[in-house]
Amino acid sequence: MELKYVGQSYERKDAVNKVTGEAEYVDDIRLPRMLYAWCVRSPYAHARILSIDTSEAEKLPGVKCVITGDEYPNRAGLYLEDRYFMAKIGDTAKYMGEAVAAVAADTPEIARQACDLIKVEYEELPGVINAVDAMKTDAPLIHPDLHTYKVAPIFYPEKGTNISHHYVLRKGDAEKGFAEADYVFENSFYIPHVQHVPLEPHAAIAKYDTDGKLTVWASCQSPYAVRQALSVAFAMPLNKIRVISPTVGGGFGSKAGTTLEGIVIPLAKRCKGRPVKLLYTREDEFVNAYVRQGMHARIKAGVGKDGKIIALHNEFIWDGGAYTEYGVNITKAGGWASAGPYDIDNVWTDSYCVYTNHPVGGPYRGFGMCEIHFAIEQNMDIIAEKVGISPVEIRRLNGIKPGGYTGMGERMDVAGLMDCIDQVVKEIEYDKPCQPAGPHKIRAKGIAAGWKSPSMPTNAGSSAIIRMNEDGTFFLMSSGQEIGQGAATVLVQIAAEVLSVSPDKITFCSGDTDHTPYEWQTVASRTTYCAGNAVKLAAEDLVDKVLDLAQIKMGVVKRDLEFRDGYVAHKIYPERKLPISDFALGVSFNDGSGYGGPAIGVGSFTLENNINTDKKTGIAKHHPAAFWTMGMNGCEIEIDTDTGACKVLKMVSCFDAGKVINPTLFAAQSEGAMVQALGTALFEELKLQNGRVLNKSFVDYKIPTADDAPELIVKYVEHAEPTGPYGARGVGEPLMVPGAPCIANAIYNAIGVRFHRMPITSEDILKALKEKKLKQ
């Protein structure tokens, strides 16, 4: 089928408003009689709250109300309800920075001054700051009541421990596989915490009306998920909560759940009719928003003489931080994908989510895949060198091909990994030696593969509504959020293809739970796939309804009619046509009667036969994953042996997108992913000492700048996803997955030293070079 709008590069729908400054973010919203909030936060990583005296704060002129954790009737959480939005008196503050009291006042300055007047008495408790130690039987329990928490049925907390979820995968017979292997290799890796650092900090406004209706304006990725969490936390019916998410200045997962929304709501309830705003500072963003979890990985591989991996034994220990409502799902995702994009007969994986007294771990672009692939893909290069084959050949030998099987036992009918390998090897000229770089400079190349599936409930739903206006233009309503990834443009292109009108004739509306239809979440690289399917169904529904009317008015059998370039046209006699606008309000007849009414299309999508894995083995009885997106990165780096500085000169990306809806947006996502991965590989680490964040500003936390960006080459292959809209599958997160191990492999190829943790800094490289020289 020839496509007119899908597969073309159209300008972003949100581009003009963003570059002109007209886009409205939460902090831009100014409402009448606004109050401003601030919090008192725990100075300890782990401490019991003995008492809170708010009397002096309440006396301060301009203070309207002061609250503590007693405001919260229920715990909240998306998958595991393990947290109140504020620590309670008599309970414990579980990380350094957790809110214990909050103030609403006429100005931000008064709110901060009032917080300084609040007296909190603590009993400091032993902190648990290492996930491996937290698993020991004598470790202090951070959540002693864990066994009483409400949890989704696919997660398994372990009573009397700090383990909030233990994911098990048992494919084949790993013990037998290791016995048959010619070589057995075992390696360990550590991935530290990192921050998302979106351009826009978290912000929220809450307003209670006198009729009990709560409206929340929040910089969030998933307004319906936020509404659900707030409903549980405050024991409110969903029809009394409205969540509005205006322009979102980046999320990367940090805005997927609830954070400060739960603090402003009880303040607003105490001050009915007056909106209450709370805006995180950049320092708050580093401490009190989600962080990417730290992770300890151990991989044991049994390998044949030819390089074929026969058996794999993985242990992943995730540092989930003080609360793991999201961390449990990341742990599951890591277990799912633990074999990497490789066809291995025998796989044994234990993936643990563990509480510590660190900042709260949550979703970060890649959702656990960047972390495990830093280990998996370096391990592949280690094996290749030991066995005596090239890094390319070991991936070709073991990589999943059509007809192969995942670590969960799923048959892969569609798999474009081999094509991606070929493209990257060609573009990076992997087999061609690097050009001499001059005195004290070494250049080398590296490659890495990666994959990801959406880690979402098997019944996660999406919906869309399309309305035709009287002039034949349209409103497309979806709660698939635009967070910078291009959803507002891609979803419009899908609708335009079905409706056979220019994308310019479609206005995208999203982010209002009172007015835009349900969307589970904008996470998991699922928006193009899930929301896209719902949009396509809605557009098809509208077309079907209009053609029902058109056959009456035009006297033509419905099967002979179609939408074509703004008209309802006869398929065989195209000159017989009427503008689609003629049917926007139904049809009218000569006697003045009408029929049909306004044209509205509705679409709902949940992937059928998407079934949970077996609890005891993790093996799939059918398809637990909606799809798998896989691909490859290659890079060339240069190391200055005098300083240890590593500069990435070139990065190449090739992924199987199924069908690329918008090539320009795909390239932008690929380029951003490569640079973001470069940051985690070489620069980024949240420095933690006894639970305290030491580098909570851009002065001390370095992210890549334009000076660090290498030459970026983007390629893609297209093997249609059978269940995706026009064959598309999600790509936004998977594109980042191989970047860091690709760079780590290149560094090894340059200097012969393997780094088992991120980031690999210039100081680390220089130290390794000196140690290597001393041993020679």
Side-chain angles (χ1 to χ4, degrees), residues 5 10-11 13 489 492-493 496-497 501-507:
Y5 302 111
Y10 282 90
E11 285 188 4
K13 283 282 186 176
T489 308
V492 164
Q493 286 181 248
E497 191 65 54
V501 299
S502 167
D504 296 334
K505 290 183 178 289
I506 303 174
T507 296

Side-chain angles (χ1 to χ4, degrees), residues 196 252-253 363-367 370 669 672-673 676 732-733 735-736:
H196 304 69
F252 309 111
Y364 180 102
R365 185 177 189 175
F367 207 79
C370 298
Q669 286 284 287
Q676 197 168 1
E733 292 178 276
L735 291 167
M736 185 178 168

Side-chain angles (χ1 to χ4, degrees), residues 486-525:
T489 308
V490 165
L491 295 179
V492 164
Q493 286 181 248
I494 292 171
E497 191 65 54
V498 177
L499 298 170
S500 190
V501 299
S502 167
D504 296 334
K505 290 183 178 289
I506 303 174
T507 296
F508 182 72
C509 310
S510 69
D512 186 336
T513 57
D514 269 14
H515 299 293
T516 57
Y518 180 85
E519 181 67 45
W520 174 68
Q521 290 190 71
T522 302
V523 296
S525 297

Side-chain angles (χ1 to χ4, degrees), residues 167 332-333 336-337 369 406-412 451-459 524 526 529-530 605 607-613 618-630 721-723 729:
Y167 179 86
K332 177 177 74 71
W336 266 27
M369 299 303 101
T406 71
M408 293 186 293
E410 294 173 272
R411 178 184 164 90
M412 293 294 293
W451 71 343
K452 185 187 181 300
S453 67
S455 186
M456 63 185 187
T458 50
N459 63 348
R526 63 181 292 281
Y529 177 84
C530 292
F605 175 76
L607 182 63
E608 297 177 356
N609 299 315
N610 198 206
I611 300 171
N612 291 331
T613 58
I619 296 300
K621 296 177 181 177
H622 194 62
H623 286 289
F627 58 83
W628 289 92
T629 301
M630 58 191 72
E721 176 60 43
T723 59
R729 62 176 69 91

Side-chain angles (χ1 to χ4, degrees), residues 1 3 6 462-466 476-478 490-500 506 508 519 527-545 600-605 659 661 721-728:
M1 179 177 65
L3 302 175
V6 165
S462 298
S463 57
I465 297 172
I466 298 179
L476 166 58
M477 292 173 283
S478 164
V490 165
L491 295 179
V492 164
Q493 286 181 248
I494 292 171
E497 191 65 54
V498 177
L499 298 170
S500 190
I506 303 174
F508 182 72
E519 181 67 45
T527 303
T528 297
Y529 177 84
C530 292
N533 267 319
V535 166
K536 187 170 183 286
L537 289 169
E540 290 170 347
D541 183 51
L542 188 147
V543 169
D544 185 64
K545 290 173 179 176
I600 298 176
V602 178
S604 295
F605 175 76
K659 174 65 180 178
I661 305 293
E721 176 60 43
T723 59
Y726 295 104

Side-chain angles (χ1 to χ4, degrees), residues 40 49 51-52 54 66-75 83-92 98-103 118 120 233-234 262-263 266-267 270:
V40 177
I49 303 169
S51 66
I52 302 176
T54 63
V66 182
I67 63 167
T68 64
D70 294 335
E71 299 288 331
Y72 303 95
N74 298 314
R75 290 184 176 89
R83 70 181 300 182
Y84 297 105
F85 287 110
M86 197 177 292
K88 291 175 174 280
I89 298 171
D91 202 346
T92 57
E98 183 167 9
V100 298
V103 172
I118 295 174
V120 185
F234 295 102
I263 294 172
L267 292 169
R270 293 279 198 93

Side-chain angles (χ1 to χ4, degrees), residues 13 60 110-111 155 289 367 381 431 476 558 635 687:
K13 283 282 186 176
L60 187 67
I110 294 173
F155 301 108
F367 207 79
D381 270 30
D431 297 323
L476 166 58
K558 180 180 177 180
C635 71
K687 296 283 188 181

Side-chain angles (χ1 to χ4, degrees), residues 278 489 514 594 632 654 706 759:
L278 178 58
T489 308
D514 269 14
M632 189 85 167
C654 183

